Amino acid sequence: MKIICIGRNYSEHAKELGNEAPKEPLFFLKPDSAILPKRVPFYIPEFTNDLHYEVELLVKINRLGKHIEERFANEYYNQIGLGIDFTARDLQKECKSKGLPWEKAKAFDGSAIIGKEFIDKSEFESVQDISFSLNKNGDQVQLGNSKDMIFTIDAIISYVSQFFTLKIGDIIYTGTPSGVGPVKIGDKLEGFLGKKQLVSLDIK
Ligand code: MG
């Protein structure tokens, strides 16, 4: 499986990092080795001094597809999840300033946190009105709602599938709202989809 991550999909977050809102979806990939296995502790990698959390809604692809029209995109996923796109912000800044790819800042082992379960999309009135949040040490640091996405889930699926065949089990990280920030050893992150806690992570 592959992990497709959308960047700058919430205008407030694009602004906080000094980026313009994109005119078409911006995306990058993480390999499946980026997923932190269940029950494996998360350690801050030695190569970064500025590791940031980014809480994001996840979409799990459940049907093979290529060149998917936006109006049919909703037939290619059934479940919504929650995850963290860990980013070595110092390395990313360096890569960006040199015009280099971001992978070492974004796709390293453990950089893809996936919440403990996916929720059937039928449980939501609209997939474009789902609130989600992240607490750090008990304080809310990020609060988002999918209605604020610049590109909807269906638009993302349609766009990405022009370039990549989507396969069953692929996961899309749909972008983070504003409030991203650093973690240090001893921090605790808790992610919520609505009121349901799906992520609980101790930073080691
Ligand atoms: Mg992200």
Side-chain angles (χ1 to χ4, degrees), residues 13 16 52-55 84 132-144 176-183 187-192:
H13 168 64
E16 76 181 342
H52 276 204
Y53 53 78
E54 296 186 356
V55 71
I84 297 174
F132 60 106
S133 62
L134 186 74
N135 286 0
K136 182 170 99 169
N137 304 328
D139 295 324
Q140 189 175 83
V141 286
Q142 288 193 277
L143 173 63
T176 195
S178 61
V180 300
V183 289
D187 284 345
K188 186 176 187 69
L189 297 178
E190 295 169 296
F192 299 85

Side-chain angles (χ1 to χ4, degrees), residues 6 28 54 56 85 106 175-176:
I6 308 300
F28 57 92
E54 296 186 356
E56 310 200 5
D85 164 21
K106 281 283 197 182
T176 195

